[in-house]
Amino acid sequence: MTSYLLRRLLFMVPTLLGILLVNFMIVQAAPGGPVERIIAQLRGHGMEATERFSSSGAGETMGSARPASSSTVHGENSKYRGAQGLDPALIKALEHQYGFDKPAYERFLMMLHNYLTFDFGTSFYRDRTVVDLVLDKMPVSISLGLWTTLLTYLISIPLGIAKAVRDGSRFDIWTSAIIIVGYAIPAFLFAVLLVVLFAGGSFWSLFPLRGLFSENWHSLSWGMRILDYFYHITLPILALIVGGFAGLTMLTKNSFLEEINKQYVITARAKGLTEKRVLYGHVFRNAMLIVVSGFPHAFVSILFTSALLIEVIFSLDGLGLLGFEAAINRDYPVMFGTLYVFTLLGLLLNLAGDMLYTVIDPRIDFENRNR
């Protein structure tokens, strides 16, 4: 098992490198960028935007560069759209500030070198390091991901087993109808419904609409802090669970139905074993393999994808919202820093999923399988 773990860890290196390289190439080919963004502001607001930009950290690099008058060089040959009429010195200062005065391959190699020490640089627009931003937003996303994944599995697995045991019964039919409705409603749409019903919309104002904590959270006792936390997170978690439990429930049911009809189950029943012993002593171990294999994907999906719109609707400032805003604003350090963290975490969780195979079924031996 040790050599298998080492091989998987070593395999993560080219995988992570390939993902970063592909995304870096896509970003380089995509239109727009931080330089174009500043140029657009300068063109739209003139001297006012230049003064504001100069007062930021970039101003130290730019020096006294200002938009050119009609008597200066206009930069008609500039590679940036909308740069005509601006001083070429200003454009060069912008390129130096954002690192675009170096070739693409050199910037990529420099990024990899920094990432080896988890140095993700500083945000272009927030004046904070990417590490500080990620650590600041991480608790929100971790809260959503962990609680949603945990509760989804705690609901879906028992419900899927119950449906498999009662296949074709009235219970199975009614729960299937509920599951179909839950699967058909997107998580963000259900979140909007919850806001309208329970968060001060058109009906009741039972739950808060913003943040994970109340303003007086630090003055509360520890018991009240815990209650306040769950009070704020109830609606976001409920919205994510409704959007995620349907598929896992049906997967659990189908996995159990497939195992229940196999010969070893018939043999176990013929030996006089109780139905509970048959289900949880024999069927469960085999049926749960495919369910467990989807755990890392489910967690990563909830943590970095499904929670994005939920974070927006409930004003939760997490990693999903941070990455989305970085992509919109072309904040490349934040974009690639969060991508690196997301990818590394996803690879590690996939490895953890493989390790769970051996916990559920000790007969699985990855070491012998790869020989």
Side-chain angles (χ1 to χ4, degrees), residues 250-304:
M250 297 308 297
L251 177 62
T252 304
K253 175 190 175 182
N254 294 333
S255 298
F256 263 78
L257 285 177
E258 183 179 356
E259 295 294 326
I260 286 175
N261 295 323
K262 290 185 176 180
Q263 185 62 42
Y264 75 90
V265 177
I266 299 175
T267 302
R269 287 171 175 166
K271 290 181 178 180
L273 297 180
T274 62
E275 191 67 19
K276 183 177 180 180
R277 178 70 180 276
V278 171
L279 285 176
Y280 294 99
H282 294 76
V283 177
F284 183 85
R285 183 172 60 182
N286 297 317
M288 283 296 99
L289 290 176
I290 189 172
V291 177
V292 169
S293 66
F295 176 83
H297 173 74
F299 180 76
V300 173
S301 176
I302 292 171
L303 190 61
F304 303 127

Side-chain angles (χ1 to χ4, degrees), residues 8 47 50 64 72 86 129 158 179 182 203 212-213 222 249 371:
R8 285 292 301 270
M47 188 67 72
T50 309
S64 59
T72 62
L86 297 178
T129 64
I179 288 172
F203 294 89
L212 290 181
F213 308 103
W222 281 106
T249 300
R371 288 178 180 175

